[in-house]
Each structure stands twice: as C-alpha cells, then as structure tokens.
Amino acid sequence: MSTVSTTEEVLPSAVNLVGAFGRHDAAAYFGCLAPEVTFIFYIILVRLASRAEYERLCADWKQQDEFRVLSCESPGQAVQVLGDAAIFCHDVTTVVRTTAGEQTVRERESIVFRIRGDRSWAAVHKHLSPHPDLVAE
C-alpha cells in the first residue's frame, strides 16, 4: 500500500463531513471529527479545544434556539495534501432555522484533516470566517 496520500483519498472524507452537516446528521458529522479536533469560529469568542466541547455547544444551540441545519452547499472546494495531513478549503452557503426563522449564511471554511491508522481521514481543526463578499459590503 502506498503511503503517499492524494486529493482523491481526502476529498470523500471532506464531502462526507459537509454532507452530514447539511443533513443535520449530528452522529455522522461528529463521527468525522477526531476527539482532539479544535475550532476557531468567528461567531464564538473562544477557541473550542475538543469535539466534546463543540458537541455541548451544539446541544445548547439546539435547545435554546431550536437550531437546525436545513441545507449546506460547498462550492469552490480545494484540497492540499501535506503527507499525513491535508487542508480542505471551500465556500459554504448554509440555510439554518432557529426560533428567529430561516437564515442563509455565507462563509468560508478551512478544515485540516489527519490520516488515521486505518487510512481514513478525520478533521483535526476547523476554521470558519465570513465570506469576503459580505465583509466588503
């Protein structure tokens, strides 16, 4: 088996993660994340240091605001493979519903993946920022 990773090996993991998010499938989504995954989100003031931390935050959002993802589009996908790590970048258009109603959110995201011993890929870091078109307005 080759130890060199390729975009074709990483991309299905990224698509699976984004798809699970877009279906609001929490079990599948969190299953794509390594336990030690970290998060930097512009809507949260602190860095989240684990999957468990993010799971608690999501549970709070769901309970307080009835937060639900209705859909997620992921154009502009790019993968950069760096040995046993890879960076997946994309634009994100997400439709969510809360107690305030439906909202469409446009963002950009970088997700760092790391290969596991079974040759599958898990997200170990996610960074989300507002889409530059929105910042320029």
Side-chain angles (χ1 to χ4, degrees), residues 8 13 22 29 31 33 44 46 51 61 70 72 74 79 90 99 113 116 131 136-137:
E8 291 76 24
S13 296
Y29 174 75
L33 307 175
I44 301 171
V46 297
R51 181 177 65 202
W61 286 342
L70 301 177
C72 181
S74 174
V79 175
H90 63 145
T99 54
F113 287 88
R116 302 183 224 199
H131 195 281
E137 292 177 350

Side-chain angles (χ1 to χ4, degrees), residues 2-92:
S2 170
T3 59
V4 176
S5 298
T6 66
T7 297
E8 291 76 24
E9 293 173 339
V10 178
L11 194 55
S13 296
V15 168
N16 187 39
L17 186 151
V18 173
F21 181 78
R23 292 187 312 276
H24 197 81
D25 183 343
Y29 174 75
F30 287 114
C32 296
L33 307 175
E36 69 276 13
V37 65
T38 57
F39 304 86
I40 297 177
F41 297 150
Y42 67 99
I43 59 171
I44 301 171
L45 297 178
V46 297
R47 175 181 169 269
L48 300 176
S50 70
R51 181 177 65 202
E53 244 183 270
Y54 188 43
E55 285 180 287
R56 284 190 296 275
L57 181 63
C58 288
D60 288 347
W61 286 342
K62 186 175 181 181
Q63 182 179 13
Q64 293 172 8
D65 295 329
E66 298 176 14
F67 178 85
R68 180 162 187 86
V69 176
L70 301 177
S71 66
C72 181
E73 295 179 12
S74 174
Q77 298 178 347
V79 175
Q80 180 182 9
V81 179
L82 305 162
D84 68 349
I87 302 167
F88 171 76
C89 298
H90 63 145
D91 296 325
V92 185

